Amino acid sequence: MQIQMNGLSRFNPLTKELMSQQDFEVHLNLEANGDVTASYENVVLSSVFQPIIDRQREVIGFEALCRIYDSDGNPICCSDIFCQCYDKHWIIHQRNLDKLTRVIHLRNFSKFESTSSLFLNVLPQSAIHWLKINKEHGLITDRINELGLNINNVVFEMVEHESEDDKSLAIAAAKRLSSGFQIAIDDYGVNASQEDRVRSIRPNILKIDRSVLLQYMAGDKEWLLHSIELANDVGAKTLIEGIESQEQFSAMLALNIDYYQGYFLGEPQHLSAYCEARSQ
């Protein structure tokens, strides 16, 4: 039984947690263009990828981004699913969707790239769940190896959502680091991505939110400069998000930030389109 809530159909409360490769496979589809998508209850998930560049404007990796559509092909805002918690059943659906996005991203990425870094978003609740389910940790590691990707090039982005247990989140991050993965804190400067979380997780990369960039461009420079200092304190590289003009890019280059991302530098798109453009 499905119930309408905020314009979005509620998922079946009896759906189980996806745990095995067989659980994931039944939700996967191969599209005519070769992309892998996922169908889950009343929504469809697909992948796009946005380039991340270094100071020399060389692409060092891509952030995998999810696009969600309803059964009629209408887009659904990701925050309607991942940023809401309607009841205890919704949490299971969030984790299932979170896992499925990584499944399709890995498959779509591996068809075109094997040397660039892949940035994958992870909900804090999913990261904490890894601590309790060791099987899932081994499953994604095995799958990455099977796809011919280098674990050292996979970056898990801890998104800015609230976590009830930041201590367990830090332990989960440390477990991933010990396995060879990299960890990034996403959207630093908004919501739950605060200094205490950065110091406890000690990520490889600190991704600074676009709002902090806009504050800097408006003359309020303190928070961005503090963010860079914090990254240096914990030994993290810096990545600034949301660059949409040459003026912003030039200003960030002057601060010796390590990595850059935004529509001015490259829009999210299918990797096939990026590879075709690069080969011309």
Side-chain angles (χ1 to χ4, degrees):
M1 179 178 179
Q2 295 181 341
I3 306 169
Q4 286 295 122
M5 181 174 290
N6 294 338
L8 182 67
S9 294
R10 287 285 302 276
F11 298 123
N12 184 346
L14 300 179
T15 300
K16 69 174 184 176
E17 182 116 23
L18 303 181
M19 296 299 301
S20 69
Q21 184 169 344
Q22 291 73 25
D23 291 340
F24 296 124
E25 291 288 347
V26 299
H27 293 278
L28 302 182
N29 315 297
L30 182 62
E31 303 297 332
N33 65 357
D35 278 0
V36 177
T37 61
S39 299
Y40 183 88
E41 299 287 340
N42 58 314
V43 300
V44 175
L45 314 175
S46 65
S47 302
V48 290
F49 298 86
Q50 186 171 34
I52 295 169
I53 70 169
D54 62 14
R55 295 182 54 77
Q56 287 72 46
R57 298 196 72 155
E58 295 291 331
V59 174
I60 60 93
F62 295 85
E63 180 179 1
L65 300 167
C66 184
R67 296 292 183 259
I68 306 179
Y69 303 91
D70 65 19
S71 56
D72 295 321
N74 301 309
I76 297 175
C77 179
C78 290
S79 62
D80 286 343
I81 291 179
F82 291 118
C83 297
Q84 306 294 330
C85 186
Y86 301 119
D87 56 35
K88 63 181 180 180
H89 302 295
W90 197 266
I91 295 175
I92 296 176
H93 294 302
Q94 285 178 327
R95 283 204 299 261
N96 284 346
L97 288 163
D98 189 40
K99 295 172 190 177
L100 280 169
T101 60
R102 286 190 291 280
V103 169
I104 64 172
H105 292 334
L106 283 166
R107 295 193 182 199
N108 291 325
F109 185 79
S110 66
K111 292 184 298 183
F112 297 97
E113 284 285 341
S114 60
T115 58
S116 298
S117 293
L118 173 61
F119 289 67
L120 295 169
N121 291 309
V122 180
L123 293 175
Q125 57 168 287
S126 293
I128 293 172
H129 194 65
W130 291 337
L131 291 177
K132 304 174 183 177
I133 310 296
N134 288 321
K135 179 181 178 182
E136 185 180 331
H137 177 82
L139 182 63
I140 192 168
T141 301
D142 292 343
R143 192 64 184 135
I144 287 170
N145 289 328
E146 291 170 4
L147 290 170
L149 300 176
N150 187 336
I151 286 177
N152 301 116
N153 289 338
V154 177
V155 184
F156 287 109
E157 296 190 16
M158 302 296 184
V159 300
E160 79 281 8
H161 302 178
E162 293 287 349
S163 167
E164 295 180 357
D165 188 352
D166 271 2
K167 181 178 179 180
S168 292
L169 185 62
I171 295 171
K175 183 174 181 179
R176 289 297 188 184
L177 287 168
S178 68
S179 299
F181 297 101
Q182 295 189 65
I183 296 294
I185 294 289
D186 192 23
D187 295 334
Y188 179 71
V190 297
N191 296 340
S193 291
Q194 301 301 326
E195 183 170 338
D196 288 346
R197 179 179 286 188
V198 174
R199 293 193 181 277
S200 63
I201 292 177
R202 303 188 71 84
N204 303 97
I205 299 171
L206 184 64
K207 296 190 71 175
I208 302 170
D209 187 69
R210 170 172 166 75
S211 63
V212 182
L213 162 66
L214 294 179
Q215 288 177 19
Y216 182 90
M217 299 303 295
D220 184 2
K221 301 183 177 183
E222 181 179 357
W223 189 240
L224 178 54
L225 297 178
H226 175 73
S227 301
I228 296 171
E229 182 180 355
L230 173 61
N232 291 334
D233 285 349
V234 300
K237 299 284 189 181
T238 48
L239 190 161
I240 189 73
E241 301 178 290
I243 294 176
E244 296 187 357
S245 70
Q246 179 64 56
E247 180 186 13
Q248 293 173 352
F249 184 43
S250 297
M252 296 302 99
L253 282 170
L255 295 175
N256 292 318
I257 288 173
D258 298 293
Y259 306 126
Y260 309 83
Q261 183 179 358
Y263 274 68
F264 176 72
L265 305 171
E267 297 185 7
Q269 59 184 334
H270 296 279
L271 269 184
S272 57
Y274 172 80
C275 292
E276 289 172 6
R278 184 171 59 179
S279 63
Q280 293 177 355

